[in-house]
Amino acid sequence: MKPITELLSSGVVIGDGGYLIELERRGYVDSGSGREKVGTGRGSGQFTPEIAIENPEALRELHREFLQAGSHVLQALTFFGTREKLNRAGYGSDTEKINGAAVKVAREVAGARALVAGSVSRTQLTEREGLGSLDKSRDHIAEQIRLLKDAGVDFLILETFFHLAEMQVALKCASDAGLPAVATMSFRPLISKCSDDHTPAECARVMADLGAIAVGANCEQDPKRMLPLLREMRSAVSVPLAAQPAAFHTTNECHSFTRLPAFPDDLETIQVSRQEFVDFGRTALAEGIRYAGGCCGCNAAYIRSLARGVAAKA
Ligand SMILES: [Zn+2]
């Protein structure tokens, strides 16, 4: 496979879908909802990636499905894999093992047919303790990036950051490690501002200035709801855009599915049709989106639809 920077300059790179929600549906990932109200910031907030060491076969199968559907990149399931988050879920002492195993499984499936990206997300410290915790975040993110580099990822996807300040920390860690990084923010409860009050255009500029090879958004909204914020970003930067939307409907009052009552146990009631991802793929190139994939709610059927849309072009 060509390096990610070359792929981005030669067409639309097709990413993969969302792992944790799909694997929760299959019974391998704990949403935490049986013990706590998920999303309050008080509990473990589960959705952690210990499947990589507990049920690697199930993870391997989902990677195979995405590859078969047309993904050019497989993300190692290292989302929420910092020691901070794993500690809260009772897996802190397995941090090295989980990150290493997740990359190994993704690499075995990818072979020479896809690149392997390390997924790095927010620590959740900023939501819980405020921006004063950024030094702690830096240590955790730097540690995870070192583990991912040692495990041999091709590049990083920094995703689902709510605060631009924490994304800046992550981009600096990526740059210190010498790894190229795609950077995508998540916007909630509305697409107009991130959690520390920056517009999508400001986020895009800052991420591009810190060296991100593509900037954009992931999760929380379906493609149609996300498009206006991506257009704002496109007008602000010249680097390629990356978009990995969720496959869930949101409302005019709340643009984030994780803030709707259906999260996490009734998501089937707000699932969007895979047709939305055909349309998303069809418009990707015209909208400047050079990295297009899916996030929560996107199984292989959605990625196949996306690939079909990209192939159909306009
Ligand atoms: Zn997601």
Side-chain angles (χ1 to χ4, degrees):
M1 288 293 287
K2 292 179 185 162
I4 184 64
T5 42
E6 262 185 63
L7 290 184
L8 285 168
S9 62
S10 54
V12 176
V13 178
I14 297 168
D16 53 6
Y19 286 85
L20 288 169
I21 298 270
E22 180 63 20
L23 292 167
E24 192 275 337
R25 285 172 164 173
R26 296 181 189 193
Y28 296 105
V29 163
D30 183 0
S31 73
S33 75
R35 300 180 303 284
E36 61 186 78
K37 190 160 177 356
V38 177
T40 58
R42 289 192 290 275
S44 69
Q46 210 79 28
F47 280 114
T48 39
E50 61 275 7
I51 185 177
I53 55 171
E54 292 188 342
N55 288 287
E57 264 316 310
L59 176 57
R60 192 172 281 123
E61 174 56 25
L62 186 53
H63 279 310
R64 274 196 209 105
E65 292 172 25
F66 286 134
L67 187 66
Q68 175 75 13
S71 298
H72 300 136
V73 174
L74 296 180
Q75 294 180 93
L77 180 51
T78 52
F79 185 90
F80 276 165
T82 60
R83 190 176 300 275
E84 149 66 21
K85 172 73 180 180
L86 290 173
N87 262 336
R88 297 180 67 90
Y91 288 91
S93 59
D94 291 321
T95 303
E96 288 88 350
K97 267 196 342 204
I98 289 171
N99 280 277
V103 174
K104 183 166 174 277
V105 169
R107 181 66 74 191
E108 282 166 5
V109 176
R113 294 172 62 198
L115 294 176
V116 173
S119 163
V120 176
S121 56
R122 69 188 188 283
T123 55
Q124 291 188 322
L125 277 168
T126 321
E127 292 140 274
R128 295 195 165 101
E129 300 177 15
L131 293 171
S133 64
L134 282 178
D135 280 343
K136 276 194 271 179
S137 289
R138 178 175 297 108
D139 292 344
H140 287 294
I141 290 172
E143 180 192 35
Q144 192 188 13
I145 289 179
R146 182 174 53 73
L147 294 175
L148 294 173
K149 187 176 182 182
D150 289 350
V153 296
D154 296 307
F155 69 103
L156 298 173
I157 297 181
L158 311 177
E159 59 176 353
T160 328
F161 282 78
F162 293 150
H163 295 80
L164 181 60
E166 196 179 20
M167 171 61 90
Q168 289 174 268
V169 163
L171 274 164
K172 283 179 192 142
C173 292
S175 151
D176 289 347
L179 283 172
V182 169
T184 58
M185 296 285 298
S186 292
F187 292 83
R188 71 174 194 180
L190 300 174
I191 59 167
S192 48
K193 291 264 176 76
C194 66
S195 294
D196 48 352
D197 275 340
H198 299 280
T199 64
E202 286 164 358
C203 291
R205 262 192 298 273
V206 168
M207 293 189 290
D209 286 349
L210 283 170
I213 57 169
V215 302
N218 76 288
C219 208
E220 296 295 359
Q221 298 88 32
D222 63 90
K224 267 191 214 132
R225 182 80 70 187
M226 187 182 274
L227 203 52
L229 89 83
L230 295 171
R231 287 176 175 156
E232 254 193 71
M233 286 184 159
R234 186 184 59 174
S235 67
V237 294
S238 54
V239 295
L241 287 189
Q244 304 216 77
F248 298 119
H249 288 292
T250 58
T251 66
N252 289 337
E253 294 71 36
C254 176
H255 301 163
S256 61
F257 82 87
T258 61
R259 289 283 176 89
L260 293 174
F263 177 75
D265 290 329
D266 293 307
L267 290 171
E268 289 72 21
T269 61
I270 54 169
Q271 186 80 41
V272 303
S273 151
R274 64 175 87 166
Q275 185 60 37
E276 269 212 39
F277 279 74
V278 177
D279 298 342
F280 171 48
R282 197 173 280 142
T283 55
L285 197 58
E287 296 285 346
I289 300 164
R290 289 304 186 91
Y291 191 102
C295 199
C296 300
C298 291
N299 62 17
Y302 286 76
I303 298 305
R304 207 161 50 241
S305 297
L306 169 64
R308 194 174 299 147
V310 168
K313 296 201 176 82

